[in-house]
Amino acid sequence: MAPLLAAACLGCTLAMFGTGLSDLRQMLATRSVENIQFLPFLTTDVNNLSWLGYGCLKQDWTLITVNAIGAVLQTLYMLAYLYYSPSKRPVLLRSLLLLAVLAAGYGYFTLLIADTQTRLVRLGLFCSVFTISMYLSPLADLAKIVRSKSTRCLSFPLTVTTFLASTSWTLYGLQLHDPYITPSAWHQADPHPASCVSHSRARD
């Protein structure tokens, strides 16, 4: 059962990450970043790298594989955005802020917390809270969809793949009795339209 769930998590999450390829194709085709947001790429990259660290501590190769691939894809999207963006300064500042946050987090979890189990618990808690907050943030857009009675802002492929990925990760977390994977995966079941112009989102 565990290998089957791991394969489902891998396949469904990679399919979810792949929905961002539409933005990449648009950037390459138009050679611009018009109607594409940078923030979803940035927050998803932070999320992937955080879960990657948790997976390494836990020695969970499903988490490691999924989030390593996700981090590479999000970084690729960010580099493409930086290349085609006419205003590179804000993008560079946000990217540098990301690096600073990651460096601070690495220093905290590796230098200030000596006990491996304590490090695992705190990093898992951070990953879970960050993922939940990231997926709850677009509720204003969801309310806009309800008010307008239009799904133009909602990416159907992203919604379906997110639901499948969240279900797989919930079952995987329950299988492992992991208190951090399960709640963060459950909150991915919410459809999350990034905006009416961009649908890029990710998870672990």
Side-chain angles (χ1 to χ4, degrees):
M1 185 66 175
L4 183 62
L5 281 176
C9 290
L10 181 63
C12 293
T13 308
L14 292 182
M16 184 178 68
F17 289 153
T19 59
L21 291 173
S22 60
D23 286 336
L24 181 61
R25 286 195 297 268
Q26 181 179 333
M27 286 187 280
L28 295 175
T30 63
R31 304 184 68 83
S32 75
V33 294
E34 184 179 1
N35 295 334
I36 296 177
Q37 296 182 7
F38 180 73
L39 187 60
F41 299 142
L42 187 66
T43 55
T44 303
D45 208 13
V46 173
N47 195 42
N48 286 142
L49 291 170
S50 300
W51 281 107
L52 177 60
Y54 181 76
C56 290
L57 275 178
K58 196 177 175 69
Q59 291 296 296
D60 186 314
W61 286 101
T62 302
L63 280 173
I64 292 172
T65 303
V66 166
N67 288 288
I69 295 174
V72 169
L73 286 175
Q74 298 306 317
T75 302
L76 175 63
Y77 301 153
M78 290 168 60
L79 290 174
Y81 190 99
L82 176 62
Y83 182 78
Y84 291 114
S85 176
S87 304
K88 300 188 186 307
R89 180 180 172 83
V91 178
L92 283 172
L93 288 177
R94 290 181 180 183
S95 301
L96 290 174
L97 178 61
L98 166 63
L99 292 176
V101 169
L102 291 175
Y106 179 81
Y108 173 74
F109 286 112
T110 58
L111 301 178
L112 298 182
I113 304 178
D115 181 66
T116 303
Q117 187 59 35
T118 303
R119 190 185 307 166
L120 186 68
V121 168
R122 294 189 182 180
L123 182 55
L125 181 61
F126 169 80
C127 291
S128 185
V129 171
F130 185 84
T131 301
I132 290 171
S133 62
M134 189 176 80
Y135 282 91
L136 288 179
S137 60
L139 286 180
D141 290 323
L142 191 59
K144 187 186 300 181
I145 291 173
V146 174
R147 287 196 304 269
S148 65
K149 298 181 180 179
S150 171
T151 58
R152 184 174 61 89
C153 300
L154 191 62
S155 170
F156 181 72
L158 179 60
T159 303
V160 172
T161 55
T162 299
F163 175 76
L164 293 175
S166 64
T167 301
S168 301
W169 282 108
T170 298
L171 295 174
Y172 185 74
L174 290 173
Q175 175 78 21
L176 298 181
H177 304 288
D178 190 299
Y180 307 112
I181 295 176
T182 303
S184 61
W186 172 252
H187 279 77
Q188 286 190 80
D190 291 330
H192 41 72
S195 70
C196 290
V197 294
S198 177
H199 307 290
S200 297
R201 275 284 189 279
R203 181 246 187 259
D204 116 272

